[in-house]
Structures are given as structure tokens and as C-alpha cells.
Amino acid sequence: MIQIDDKLISEDIFSEEFVCNLTKCKGACCVEGDVGAPLDKNELEILENIFDKIKPYLTPEGIKAVEEIGTWTTDPMDGMYVTPMVEDRECAYVTFDEKGITKCGIEKAYEDGAVDWQKPISCHLYPIRVTEYSTFTALNYHEWDVCNDACALGKELQVPIYKFLKTPLIRKYGEEFYGVLTGAAEEWKKEYGS
């Protein structure tokens, strides 16, 4: 683990390579799983406030799920805040394009200028999962077989996770943190990289 301020960063974020390959996986991370995407507490009010603006971007099934469950819910296993799901399948905020590839309805609304919030930070940061503890924050690589194609493409293009996730890491922690993280990655590569 690498420590930067109060953050412990898994070295996998430097060593593993990853580039989403939606043409292969079709956005399976938005469909697979037992619960919706993790949400930070501060994102709950955002979802409530923007729902009417993102509603035109959602599927009828997604709208129904949000109207029945709410703009967010909790994971019954650990009480964490998560996005609602459509009949225990995809995230309620997911849409599908003509090729069956998932897209985020929130992000589509953001791209059109309908809202100024891109999407939940957990989605933007994936495959990094952030866990907040009382005295530190852990950033870990979440390895999932639905992302095998992303790992293969990342390896082919030689893009480590921290570089692939530059924009969301800056969104969450700022430019200064990302600069320190990059420096730590370069030092790690000199010492342990191949």
C-alpha cells in the first residue's frame, strides 16, 4: 500500500492495466451485481434534486423503479447507499443504445447540459473502489470477471488504472493529489515495475 495524506492506495492501481471496452462487455458493470452503484451520502440529495431533469433520459422501467423505490436505496447487507435497480437487474439510471450497450442516463443528461453533475463518483472511478474508515480512506482495485476485456485492452494499450482514471481521480481528490499519485506511481515503477 502507498500512503498519500490520509489515503491508502493499493499498488494494483499502479501495476494493473485497464481500459473500458464497451464494444465487448456492453457495460456489464451497470447490469451485473446484487445491488446498485455505491453512493456517497452527499450524492443522495443531488439525485433527488436532478431526477426530474434526468427522467427524460431514462427507460420506462428505470423511471418506474425510481418512482417505486426512490432515487436511492440502501444495500440490505451493509446499509450502504446505492442506486435503485430494475427488478434486481440493471441500475435504474441505465439506458441501452441500439447495439445493446449500456449508457448512463445521468451522464447523457450531463453531456446535453441538462444537469451539472456527471454521475455517481463510484461509477466514474470504477474499477477503483473507495472505502472510508474513521482515520483513513482506502483506494483498492476491484477485480471483476465482467471486466476481463477491459484488462486485456488496458494491457494491449499499456494504460495503468491510475492513468485511465485520471479525470475521476481529479474530480474526487483534486489536481494536487493526482500529481502526488503520479509521482508515487513513477517511483513505484522504478522500484517494482518490469
Side-chain angles (χ1 to χ4, degrees), residues 26 95-103 108:
K26 308 284 190 207
T95 63
F96 298 90
D97 72 10
E98 62 283 349
K99 295 178 183 172
I101 298 172
T102 63
K103 304 286 182 182
K108 288 175 76 175

Side-chain angles (χ1 to χ4, degrees), residues 3 12 28 37 43 46 57 60 82 88-89 111 121 128 132 135 138 145 155 159 165:
Q3 184 167 358
D12 290 344
E43 294 178 318
I46 294 169
Y57 295 87
V82 293
D88 295 324
R89 294 189 318 264
E111 289 167 356
I121 193 65
I128 291 177
E132 305 276 347
T135 57
D145 61 354
K155 188 172 284 301
V159 179
L165 295 176

Side-chain angles (χ1 to χ4, degrees), residues 64-142:
K64 183 177 180 224
V66 171
E67 289 176 343
E68 288 176 358
I69 300 167
T71 55
W72 57 273
T73 187
T74 54
D75 180 341
M77 297 297 286
D78 61 15
M80 300 287 287
Y81 303 116
V82 293
T83 60
M85 295 176 73
V86 174
E87 298 177 7
D88 295 324
R89 294 189 318 264
E90 71 268 8
C91 171
Y93 298 110
V94 160
T95 63
F96 298 90
D97 72 10
E98 62 283 349
K99 295 178 183 172
I101 298 172
T102 63
K103 304 286 182 182
C104 177
I106 301 167
E107 190 163 26
K108 288 175 76 175
Y110 172 81
E111 289 167 356
D112 284 352
V115 295
D116 61 3
W117 186 66
Q118 191 167 356
K119 60 182 166 182
I121 193 65
S122 70
C123 302
H124 206 183
L125 278 171
Y126 198 78
I128 291 177
R129 281 287 184 234
V130 176
T131 308
E132 305 276 347
Y133 296 96
S134 59
T135 57
F136 69 94
T137 299
L139 281 72
N140 289 295
Y141 168 48
H142 181 247

